[in-house]
Amino acid sequence: MMKGWDGIQSSVSSSSRSSSTINNRVPSQSVRLGRVQPQAPTFRTIFCNDREANLPVRFKGNSISTTKYNFFTFLPKGLFEQFRRVANLYFLSISILSTTPISPVSPITNVLPLSLVLLVSLIKEAFEDWKRFQNDMSINNKKVDVLQDQRWESMSWKKLQVGDIIKVKQDGFFPADLLFLASTNADGVCYIETANLDGETNLKIRKALEKTWDYLTPEKASEFKGEIQCEQPNNSLYTFTGNLLIQKQTLPLSPNQILLRGCSLRNTEYIVGVVLFTGQETKVMMNSMNVPSKRSTLERKLDKLILALFATLFMMCFIGAIGSAIFVNKKYFYLHLDSSEEGSAQFNPKNRFVVFVLTMFTLITLYSTIIPISLYVSIEMIKFIQSTQFINKDLGMYHNESNTAALARTSNLNEELGQVEYIFSDKTGTLTRNLMEFFKCSIGAEVYGNGVTEIERGLAERNGMKIEENRSPNAVQEKGFNFDDARLMRGAWRNEPNPDACKEFFRCLAICHTVLPEGDEKSPEMIKYQAASPDEAALVIAAKHFGFFFYRRTPTTIYVRESHVEKMGKVQDISYEILNVLEFNSTRKRQSVVCRYPDGRLVLYCKGADTVIYERLSDSNNDIKKITREYLEQFGSSGLRTLCLAYRELHPNVYESWNEKFIQAKSSLQDREKKLDEVAELIENDLILIGSTAIEDKLQEGVPRCIETLQRAGIKIWVLTGDKIETAINIAYACSLINNDMKQFVISSETDAIREVEDRGDQVEIARFIKDEVKRELKKCLEEAQSYFLTVSGPKLALVIDGKCLMYALDPSLRVMLLNLSLNCHAVVCCRVSPLQKAQVTSMVKKGAKKITLSIGDGANDVSMIQAAHVGVGISGMEGMQAVMASDFAIAQFRYLEDLLLVHGRWSYLRICKVVIYFFYKNLTFTLTQFWFTFQTGFSGQRFYDDWFQSLYNVIFTALPVIIVGLFDKVAHSLQQFLISGC
Amino acid sequence: MATNSAGSNDPTVNRRQTKRPKYSKFTQQELPACKPILTPQAVISAFLIVTAIFIPIGVASLIASRDVVEIVDRYEAACVPSNWTDKIAYIQSGADKTCKRELHVEKRMKSPIYVYYQLDNFYQNHRRYVKSRNDEQLRDAGKGNSTSGCDPESNVDGVPIVPCGLIAWSMFNDTYSFSRNNNNVTVNKKGISWKSDRDHKFGSDVFPKNFQNGTIKGGASLNETIPLSQQEDLIVWMRTAALPTFRKLYGKIEVDLEKGDVINVVLQNNYNTYSFSGKKKLVLSTTSWLGGKNDFLGIAYLSVGGLSFFLAMAFAIVYFVKPRQLGDPSYLSWNRNAAGQ
């Protein structure tokens, strides 16, 4: 009990601190337990199928509301939102001023344009909110089957409560976050599609706990009386921790048993589940909040310009008011200035200071038109049309194969596109197609695969050689498989020097993955693999072609149709029991599976990045390690993506003791991920290297041309990739980012000196050494770069730096040097960088160079970079939508960047600038005549224009021409003309 | 719509439909547009065309302006007898204000000849002055008591003034009579105001009341038996001038004046402009198709036309003496910099 209080101590003291402002002088440290509100526990307890028991907790209902306003709050809240804009607030105060007698204009002059602007904005808000409301209503009123009195009752979604047991049919959407109990599929699995959540269209598998498989019928399900303890609602889509207490047993729950709202059920007749989180507390809803909005540079500049206008306004009023104070004189008898009736103080020469002050206000009202009231509304409208009509509907940016058009997710940044000077690009999936094809491999000491990559071809061409490609006529080519070597195909591997290694290699490919087969399991041709990443699918497809056909997966077993080990041409179905899956994540950079052979043999198969695998290899077999490393470098320099495969035989005792720790970690409620990683660390060592795979990722169409065009337009392109330095450089060559005429600076941590220090293993020493090394290199490069810079026609410069060096180079003491060097370079390639470093590099340039930056990427690892840059672009239409969700613009192919920046961006920029200048011009002409007239009227502030004319000038009379300029103005007719005239 | 309202666009809905945008010239930004290319020929001819149009118009309007015969006589200084050193005291005194002036007709003046008085440094456009009137009261006999906005000339001893306000109160009250060779030249004072003012703004059943009965007399008095709609001097005066120097129509002379005629003017110099050192001028003027005498328009046209002619010539000379290729990108600033590196 006391422990519990300790846990909430901090929150208690903070709440007492806030209340101390009310009760004066309550010592901030004293905790008054009596006054403390009950704190929300760190987990929630749900009683399944028992509405009464759940009642005291008052869980939120399942109705959702995405509307910003309701009927009553619309006007106050909507107006409040509007008046947060300075211009509107300004006009409100002017309108109030104009109702007083000191105003030269009637109130209508200022009230009318303000109300028109507000009306337009409010109508827009109301319309959008109404659409959201209708959408909400239709969702809230959808029907779902809920268990009541041993029967399925149809009920609308909004009436669902936490703890209810519901049934969801095939292709139905889950109405809330559910705990998956049972499904009609054997083994308690179901398939879900998460496209609404993350846009990934491959099916995901979910598996219920074995204990709950039976609660499928209403009769049976009504007997289910479990208690669920789980985390409080949060927005993390991919984590879940909780326990199910059923029949006095505590069962750990993982994301594998959770069905999230927004997903839909596939390939399963129906499932039964318990409602965990409802309505606004579902993960998808908690995710939908607070997308930070970016403001364009031009908009920020606009604010400054408006301020300048304010200063001008103030000056004009000041001059006028001084004039007025000097002018007033009794000699103008016809004005009766000395009379004392009400309201004559403004012109009474006896107190010229009052005259000055009051005339100041008068003139502010009079000159209010200098602030363009409709500027923001008009610009918003123009940008909205530009993005929805021009960018989203551009046929030039429509990708036929993936059926994806460009999408401007925000209309704020159109003109920012035209000012981009630095592009930060991811490599995989952005410059390349992300269509992974199994291309080469090495098994033991042998390397297989005769293909020649585009990059090798390009390299050879640069060196003046020609590569003859001799493909064997019967080489298999399928999507994901482009491997040509007769030594391994059709069972020929049995005659290789090391058939056992081959066997392990193939089994590792066929077993160690999380791929789902779909389709007819009889024929290898008909089956489709649903994989989290195309690499994984490519590996499984490769295994299939090597004769290890993975055709069925159950949660505990993988079925592989193997060509017979002994006899050629025969096949046998073998089932491997999957005991544990140690999943892939970006910190682990590897994936392992513990499986049991039918004969009881326990094997751990592991595949992962070379660095992490090499750290975990046993000490034997150093020859293979060395030769494989050479192959890996070879593959890398051909632009291939490499993985190492390894395995480990497990002794049953070793396994059992480890498995206990694993289960413990799996059922822990807090820090489960971390604990699992730690436990995985325990068994993933002493591995034996089998070989390596090399997967080709082809360049996207038109990338080199696009990069060349962008470079000609003066845009500098940086490639930030997680790949090896060789791969990165080769890709940079292939897409003509770097060429042989360029002077390359390479700052790499893969030098002998650094490796030597690293081998000694002293972390502090390593850090110090690398830092010094990086500093020395940077200084050297910078000096050289500057010497080139001074010469008349020095070569173009390129910088290549790897993640480890970058880590030190980004240190505040070296950052300036790095920035100076990289800004002088024509192209920069950063390899082996982490997502965080990508963002750091981006914001370094953004802040250091004060230039407009653009980040483009396709995957979750690019999200931080996309958010850090001025403009974020996501590649859509491929796997994963996380980058797109974080981006401001989504395009299907890298090459569309050309159109996006050089056509849409450029035009938007020119147009918006013109619109702004137009606005300033028309308001200044309008107001300056007024100012001139003030001098003619004895500085009395008499108006020059009719009230109605003045009030409608901005919002009606001159509204359309500006918008037309903002939409139709063209400088050159097309990109080609721009290129001809511009470069 | 799909269930998920949080993610804005739902890939599942349209998966099997094509998302190919429909073609339209608008969305593809292919609407016809034209951008004039400023070739030397085009620029030079454009300037020449401007010259060709503007110079004749300028000449015509200048001639029209020059055709107008205008006689301007400033009299406020001369019309103070020399024995009065304090002009303000004179104008406020009860002394005889009659003043005689002679106007010489230098050029034949065809009727109608408009007679104006011109005031200077008189801020009829002052905000306090402009709003010091009550339009309801002027229009409607029943609203005689509404004097809002007329302070401080709204009532005398609690009795409302009609017409109230500073404008009416300070009405101009110099009078002119003309004679030629001892023959009276009649000045027609009908029809000098706007018809719309007479018909709609000043009531035919509204009569001046309690006017100029205050302690200080600001200007003219009105005949209380004539309705406001017929008091044309008032109507003219009440249409306030936009600038501090202005002319207002006094009347029309409907006979021609010959060259060499001497017009004798007998004027009553009643109005006080001495307090604020304003000038008073008497103006006789004919009109042309362009209105009164005003050289500005003609000069403006001529100068723009002349400037374009000058530019056309200058460009032509540059074009023939030192031509260069059109649209040569090497002249662009960044290209020049690159070359200079």
Side-chain angles (χ1 to χ4, degrees):
Chain A
M1 185 62 211
M2 285 312 290
K3 259 196 170 156
W5 282 115
D6 282 0
I8 58 170
Q9 186 98 26
S10 58
S11 55
V12 168
S13 63
S14 74
S15 75
S16 79
R17 209 165 296 147
S18 62
S19 66
S20 68
T21 48
I22 307 159
N23 315 327
N24 274 340
R25 297 187 172 273
V26 172
S28 59
Q29 292 307 315
S30 80
V31 178
R32 291 175 157 198
L33 290 177
R35 294 175 53 87
V36 171
Q37 294 285 315
Q39 296 288 317
T42 48
F43 57 88
R44 67 159 50 172
T45 307
I46 299 162
F47 300 98
C48 302
N49 201 11
D50 191 350
R51 283 194 168 186
E52 270 100 66
N54 284 325
L55 210 57
V57 195
R58 288 172 193 269
F59 292 120
K60 294 225 169 72
N62 197 35
S63 73
I64 55 151
S65 162
T66 54
T67 56
K68 275 201 210 155
Y69 316 103
N70 65 36
F71 186 75
F72 297 105
T73 60
F74 176 71
L75 218 52
K77 217 172 152 187
L79 283 177
F80 175 74
E81 288 292 320
Q82 290 303 316
F83 284 122
R84 278 167 39 162
R85 285 185 174 163
V86 183
N88 287 346
L89 198 64
Y90 167 76
F91 271 90
L92 180 69
S93 42
I94 293 295
S95 301
I96 292 168
L97 258 185
S98 61
T99 59
T100 63
I102 61 161
S103 156
V105 291
S106 72
I108 191 87
T109 316
N110 290 305
V111 172
L112 189 78
L114 178 65
S115 22
L116 276 176
V117 164
L118 289 182
L119 191 73
V120 170
S121 309
L122 285 181
I123 287 175
K124 180 177 149 252
E125 287 281 302
F127 178 70
E128 285 176 355
D129 218 43
W130 173 249
K131 283 210 310 206
R132 279 193 288 260
F133 174 72
Q134 284 188 320
N135 201 8
D136 290 349
M137 287 304 287
S138 72
I139 288 164
N140 285 337
N141 289 326
K142 279 192 174 189
K143 298 288 181 201
V144 67
D145 288 338
V146 182
L147 181 71
Q148 277 191 333
D149 306 327
Q150 308 203 353
R151 275 187 302 122
W152 296 118
E153 295 270 358
S154 183
M155 206 186 257
S156 60
W157 280 26
K158 62 182 173 195
K159 292 193 177 132
L160 270 189
Q161 285 180 13
V162 173
D164 285 352
I165 291 182
I166 61 167
K167 181 175 104 173
V168 178
K169 297 191 191 106
Q170 175 146 3
D171 296 333
F173 286 92
F174 303 122
D177 291 354
L178 307 177
L179 170 66
F180 178 29
L181 292 182
S183 96
T184 50
N185 285 0
D187 315 326
V189 293
C190 73
Y191 301 91
I192 62 168
E193 192 186 75
T194 57
N196 274 337
L197 239 52
D198 51 18
E200 297 182 18
T201 50
N202 58 308
L203 298 187
K204 308 258 163 48
I205 191 167
R206 289 290 182 267
K207 186 193 161 199
L209 293 173
E210 211 169 331
K211 289 273 179 202
T212 62
W213 285 1
D214 301 334
Y215 299 103
L216 198 60
T217 59
E219 295 77 27
K220 192 84 172 105
S222 55
E223 288 167 20
F224 183 77
K225 291 277 182 236
E227 188 185 326
I228 300 164
Q229 286 179 342
C230 64
E231 60 188 13
Q232 286 294 340
N234 59 55
N235 64 358
S236 163
L237 289 177
Y238 305 103
T239 65
F240 176 83
T241 42
N243 283 325
L244 174 65
L245 274 70
I246 179 172
Q247 295 154 3
K248 306 234 167 77
Q249 273 180 302
T250 305
L251 304 169
L253 300 175
S254 71
N256 222 358
Q257 283 90 44
I258 304 303
L259 309 172
L260 296 181
R261 179 176 181 141
C263 304
S264 56
L265 187 66
R266 303 271 172 214
N267 295 359
T268 312
E269 196 188 325
Y270 69 88
I271 62 106
V272 173
V274 182
V275 177
L276 289 180
F277 303 126
T278 45
Q280 304 287 1
E281 296 184 333
T282 53
K283 295 198 179 235
V284 61
M285 292 304 292
M286 309 241 335
N287 254 298
S288 66
M289 291 164 200
N290 297 336
V291 182
S293 67
K294 293 179 186 169
R295 292 188 72 207
S296 75
T297 327
L298 192 126
E299 216 169 297
R300 261 173 287 171
K301 193 158 227 165
L302 202 56
D303 287 350
K304 281 185 200 144
L305 287 172
I306 297 269
L307 274 186
L309 279 188
F310 268 114
T312 317
L313 170 69
F314 185 78
M315 277 309 296
M316 281 161 51
C317 294
F318 190 76
I319 293 169
I322 286 182
S324 174
I326 293 169
F327 176 84
V328 284
N329 195 318
K330 261 180 78 172
K331 69 184 183 184
Y332 299 103
F333 67 91
Y334 52 91
L335 297 177
H336 254 309
L337 292 179
D338 52 348
S339 78
S340 55
E341 93 275 357
E342 196 191 343
S344 66
Q346 189 175 0
F347 300 112
N348 196 334
K350 284 176 201 145
N351 195 341
R352 288 174 191 269
F353 182 69
V354 174
V355 175
F356 170 78
V357 173
L358 290 178
T359 306
M360 194 87 186
F361 282 111
T362 304
L363 294 181
I364 287 178
T365 337
L366 189 65
Y367 302 150
S368 62
T369 46
I370 198 175
I371 311 294
I373 183 172
S374 54
L375 175 63
Y376 286 99
V377 181
S378 303
I379 288 188
E380 236 169 61
M381 211 143 101
I382 290 166
K383 285 186 178 180
F384 180 75
I385 297 175
Q386 280 177 349
S387 55
T388 55
Q389 297 299 311
F390 296 160
I391 296 182
N392 291 1
K393 295 197 177 166
D394 191 346
L395 283 168
M397 296 201 290
Y398 169 77
H399 193 230
N400 235 334
E401 285 128 70
S402 61
N403 188 20
T404 319
L407 172 71
R409 288 170 38 83
T410 166
S411 60
N412 277 346
L413 301 171
N414 295 349
E415 79 280 355
E416 200 93 334
L417 288 172
Q419 307 170 68
V420 168
E421 289 191 51
Y422 286 89
I423 294 178
F424 299 93
S425 174
D426 176 42
K427 197 207 87 189
T428 313
T430 307
L431 296 175
T432 62
R433 287 173 208 218
N434 211 11
L435 273 181
M436 304 299 172
E437 292 186 330
F438 191 89
F439 201 69
K440 286 186 179 192
C441 65
S442 79
I443 303 172
E446 287 293 318
V447 63
Y448 300 94
N450 304 330
V452 180
T453 63
E454 279 178 45
I455 290 160
E456 285 175 310
R457 211 168 294 142
L459 194 76
E461 270 166 28
R462 278 194 297 279
N463 295 335
M465 293 193 295
K466 212 165 174 194
I467 289 190
E468 294 270 326
E469 201 176 355
N470 38 0
R471 290 189 72 87
S472 41
N474 49 1
V476 190
Q477 200 165 6
E478 191 194 315
K479 189 188 160 201
F481 191 74
N482 183 17
F483 181 82
D484 173 33
D485 197 330
R487 286 179 292 169
L488 290 185
M489 305 303 292
R490 299 172 207 286
W493 52 270
R494 292 188 191 80
N495 304 326
E496 282 302 293
N498 200 348
D500 282 338
C502 291
K503 212 161 62 189
E504 290 298 342
F505 184 87
F506 300 145
R507 280 193 182 133
C508 184
L509 291 184
I511 295 170
C512 181
H513 55 74
T514 53
V515 174
L516 273 180
E518 215 185 18
D520 186 7
E521 54 187 50
K522 295 283 181 311
S523 64
E525 287 78 29
M526 295 297 289
I527 209 134
K528 271 170 107 181
Y529 291 116
Q530 297 274 0
S533 74
D535 299 71
E536 259 203 324
L539 294 177
V540 180
I541 290 168
K544 178 176 88 179
H545 287 287
F546 292 134
F548 287 72
F549 172 38
F550 156 64
Y551 64 93
R552 191 196 301 164
R553 173 192 283 277
T554 70
T556 51
T557 333
I558 277 183
Y559 296 89
V560 181
R561 186 164 301 148
E562 296 185 357
S563 53
H564 205 279
V565 189
E566 306 297 331
K567 287 171 244 164
M568 281 277 241
K570 279 216 166 181
V571 291
Q572 56 186 9
D573 290 357
I574 299 181
S575 62
Y576 298 93
E577 192 185 343
I578 303 298
L579 300 171
N580 307 89
V581 179
L582 308 174
E583 281 178 27
F584 179 88
N585 63 37
S586 54
T587 43
R588 278 164 47 77
K589 289 188 186 165
R590 62 186 182 275
Q591 176 185 42
S592 303
V593 163
V594 182
C595 67
R596 183 183 282 144
Y597 276 54
D599 60 4
R601 178 184 168 216
L602 278 173
V603 181
L604 175 128
Y605 285 111
C606 182
K607 68 174 188 213
D610 48 355
T611 47
V612 287
I613 299 288
Y614 266 75
E615 285 169 12
R616 289 168 179 78
L617 290 182
S618 65
D619 288 333
S620 56
N621 268 334
N622 280 329
D623 288 351
I624 290 187
K625 274 197 255 177
K626 213 175 138 208
I627 202 157
T628 306
R629 198 190 271 276
E630 272 169 34
Y631 290 144
L632 284 170
E633 266 167 37
Q634 233 175 62
F635 293 154
S637 58
S638 318
L640 299 171
R641 299 157 66 89
T642 56
L643 281 178
C644 285
L645 307 187
Y647 77 105
R648 179 188 176 186
E649 303 266 357
L650 293 173
H651 193 273
N653 294 345
V654 177
Y655 173 73
E656 284 308 325
S657 65
W658 174 82
N659 195 31
E660 266 171 39
K661 288 179 204 150
F662 182 76
I663 287 169
Q664 220 169 36
K666 220 177 166 184
S667 56
S668 65
L669 276 178
Q670 275 160 356
D671 295 334
R672 182 182 289 171
E673 301 286 312
K674 209 179 122 207
K675 282 179 188 160
L676 277 175
D677 286 1
E678 282 165 10
V679 174
E681 217 42 83
L682 296 176
I683 198 157
E684 285 170 331
N685 54 35
D686 270 340
L687 302 175
I688 296 162
L689 186 66
I690 314 170
S692 64
T693 61
I695 290 174
E696 186 184 22
D697 187 8
K698 282 192 181 144
L699 274 187
Q700 273 183 22
E701 203 184 317
V703 167
R705 213 185 75 89
C706 172
I707 287 187
E708 211 175 306
T709 312
L710 292 174
Q711 281 184 333
R712 281 176 65 203
I715 298 172
K716 293 184 176 172
I717 297 164
W718 294 30
V719 173
L720 311 177
T721 171
D723 281 308
K724 277 192 291 295
I725 204 156
E726 297 84 14
T727 322
I729 292 178
N730 280 302
I731 286 286
Y733 266 111
C735 56
S736 71
L737 190 63
I738 303 182
N739 55 48
N740 281 340
D741 300 335
M742 284 175 145
K743 169 71 194 157
Q744 284 176 35
F745 300 120
V746 181
I747 302 179
S748 163
S749 60
E750 302 279 304
T751 61
D752 292 338
I754 290 177
R755 215 175 265 157
E756 196 178 299
V757 177
E758 273 179 335
D759 285 345
R760 270 183 255 146
D762 182 355
Q763 290 301 324
V764 182
E765 170 76 8
I766 293 173
R768 197 191 53 75
F769 185 80
I770 299 182
K771 193 171 172 183
D772 288 347
E773 198 77 352
V774 170
K775 192 174 177 178
R776 210 169 44 78
E777 284 283 325
L778 275 176
K779 203 174 251 169
K780 199 183 84 194
C781 295
L782 191 59
E783 274 162 17
E784 203 178 335
Q786 273 159 353
S787 70
Y788 282 125
F789 206 65
L790 294 175
T791 59
V792 177
S793 55
K796 287 180 175 170
L797 308 175
L799 173 70
V800 180
I801 186 166
D802 77 351
K804 211 179 266 176
C805 294
L806 195 63
M807 186 169 83
Y808 295 100
L810 282 171
D811 185 273
S813 58
L814 299 181
R815 186 175 280 205
V816 183
M817 236 194 282
L818 175 70
L819 191 66
N820 274 338
L821 176 62
S822 50
L823 294 189
N824 282 328
C825 290
H826 211 69
V828 177
V829 178
C830 303
C831 33
R832 293 231 181 245
V833 289
S834 66
L836 180 68
Q837 281 179 324
K838 288 183 178 183
Q840 280 176 335
V841 171
T842 309
S843 49
M844 175 185 81
V845 175
K846 182 178 166 184
K847 291 192 187 110
K850 298 227 160 49
K851 296 281 167 62
I852 308 289
T853 55
L854 178 146
S855 289
I856 178 166
D858 72 317
N861 57 344
D862 306 316
V863 168
S864 54
M865 163 171 99
I866 284 172
Q867 281 170 340
H870 289 100
V871 186
V873 179
I875 298 283
S876 56
M878 302 293 238
E879 54 144 346
M881 290 279 279
Q882 274 158 315
V884 171
M885 290 297 182
S887 69
D888 306 305
F889 296 91
I891 50 178
Q893 294 275 297
F894 183 84
R895 66 171 186 275
Y896 296 153
L897 213 50
E898 191 177 303
D899 275 355
L900 190 67
L901 296 187
L902 303 185
V903 178
H904 292 285
R906 184 177 136 82
W907 277 353
S908 293
Y909 184 36
L910 291 168
R911 286 168 181 170
I912 296 285
C913 287
K914 210 169 223 181
V915 164
V916 170
I917 291 167
Y918 197 157
F919 254 103
F920 278 46
Y921 161 75
K922 76 183 173 73
N923 281 286
L924 274 175
T925 48
F926 193 77
T927 313
L928 286 179
T929 35
Q930 184 78 68
F931 183 56
W932 166 82
F933 190 60
T934 305
F935 285 79
Q936 303 293 326
T937 62
F939 304 97
S940 59
Q942 174 59 18
R943 63 191 156 78
F944 185 61
Y945 300 105
D946 180 67
D947 277 333
W948 284 94
F949 181 62
Q950 186 169 350
S951 53
L952 297 178
Y953 179 77
N954 254 325
V955 285
I956 307 262
F957 298 144
T958 60
L960 213 54
V962 196
I963 290 176
I964 291 200
V965 166
L967 293 181
F968 296 112
D969 188 47
K970 279 187 196 175
V971 175
H973 287 271
S974 68
L975 183 66
Q976 279 69 34
Q977 287 192 357
F978 159 66
L979 289 172
I980 292 163
S981 66
C983 297
Chain B
M1 269 305 289
T3 46
N4 178 17
S5 56
S8 53
N9 43 21
D10 181 354
T12 56
V13 175
N14 297 324
R15 182 180 302 160
R16 271 152 216 99
Q17 298 162 10
T18 176
K19 287 185 195 153
R20 187 185 180 85
K22 283 204 189 76
Y23 174 84
S24 88
K25 280 191 167 169
F26 172 63
T27 57
Q28 302 311 310
Q29 308 201 62
E30 288 170 0
L31 287 172
C34 63
K35 184 93 188 167
I37 298 174
L38 300 177
T39 59
Q41 294 95 322
V43 173
I44 292 168
S45 17
F47 276 125
L48 282 177
I49 289 170
V50 170
T51 313
I53 295 171
F54 276 43
I55 299 267
I57 295 179
V59 169
S61 28
L62 209 56
I63 289 171
S65 173
R66 291 284 153 92
D67 275 351
V68 173
V69 185
E70 197 179 75
I71 303 169
V72 181
D73 181 49
R74 179 178 168 189
Y75 63 87
E76 96 283 350
C79 280
V80 179
S82 49
N83 51 345
W84 287 85
T85 47
D86 187 347
K87 291 172 182 166
I88 299 171
Y90 165 75
I91 202 76
Q92 286 171 345
S93 74
D96 180 25
K97 306 285 171 51
T98 311
C99 177
K100 288 193 173 133
R101 306 285 298 165
E102 265 185 14
L103 305 179
H104 300 272
V105 181
E106 308 282 342
K107 219 172 157 190
R108 184 167 182 272
M109 295 173 86
K110 271 189 73 179
S111 74
I113 299 159
Y114 294 94
V115 179
Y116 302 96
Y117 53 91
Q118 177 174 339
L119 296 182
D120 179 278
N121 199 19
F122 191 102
Y123 288 89
Q124 257 207 326
N125 57 12
H126 196 278
R127 186 154 71 85
R128 182 174 163 83
Y129 191 81
V130 170
K131 61 181 182 186
S132 188
R133 63 192 283 164
N134 190 309
D135 286 327
E136 274 188 340
Q137 186 202 44
L138 295 174
R139 185 171 55 235
D140 195 340
K143 297 274 175 63
N145 289 338
S146 65
T147 57
S148 72
C150 286
D151 283 331
E153 288 298 327
S154 55
N155 52 57
V156 177
D157 305 327
V159 186
I161 302 171
V162 181
C164 71
L166 289 172
I167 309 178
W169 175 74
S170 60
M171 186 178 149
F172 187 74
N173 60 352
D174 285 8
T175 57
Y176 315 101
S177 59
F178 301 86
S179 60
R180 178 174 54 174
N181 306 329
N182 294 326
N183 293 329
N184 216 18
V185 177
T186 47
V187 177
N188 182 6
K189 291 180 70 77
K190 285 269 172 253
I192 56 172
S193 60
W194 292 20
K195 190 170 185 305
S196 60
D197 281 1
R198 291 196 299 268
D199 293 351
H200 304 293
K201 293 206 148 184
F202 292 81
S204 55
D205 51 354
V206 184
F207 294 90
K209 212 164 62 192
N210 204 20
F211 189 67
Q212 299 291 21
N213 283 351
T215 44
I216 315 165
K217 241 180 119 175
S221 301
L222 293 173
N223 186 340
E224 302 209 347
T225 61
I226 303 174
L228 292 186
S229 64
Q230 288 171 37
Q231 308 251 15
E232 293 206 39
D233 279 328
L234 175 77
I235 298 174
V236 169
W237 182 255
M238 295 283 281
R239 190 151 279 280
T240 52
L243 296 174
T245 300
F246 59 88
R247 288 175 181 178
K248 282 192 180 294
L249 194 55
Y250 179 79
K252 289 179 277 187
I253 295 175
E254 282 161 339
V255 293
D256 294 353
L257 298 180
E258 301 302 328
K259 182 178 175 182
D261 281 355
V262 176
I263 313 288
N264 292 302
V265 186
V266 178
L267 56 85
Q268 294 296 318
N269 182 19
N270 296 324
Y271 199 68
N272 177 12
T273 58
Y274 301 101
S275 307
F276 52 90
S277 9
K279 296 171 198 153
K280 284 197 276 192
K281 285 173 187 168
L282 172 63
V283 180
L284 269 66
S285 171
T286 59
T287 56
S288 71
W289 57 273
L290 255 181
K293 193 174 183 66
N294 192 344
D295 290 349
F296 177 80
L297 195 66
I299 293 171
Y301 269 112
L302 281 181
S303 23
V304 171
L307 187 70
S308 351
F309 183 71
F310 168 75
L311 288 173
M313 288 301 111
F315 284 144
I317 290 168
V318 171
Y319 176 58
F320 286 115
V321 172
K322 203 185 161 208
R324 77 163 165 87
Q325 197 203 336
L326 181 73
D328 184 351
S330 70
Y331 283 93
L332 294 168
S333 60
W334 53 89
N335 287 335
R336 253 188 312 209
N337 285 345
Q341 245 180 28

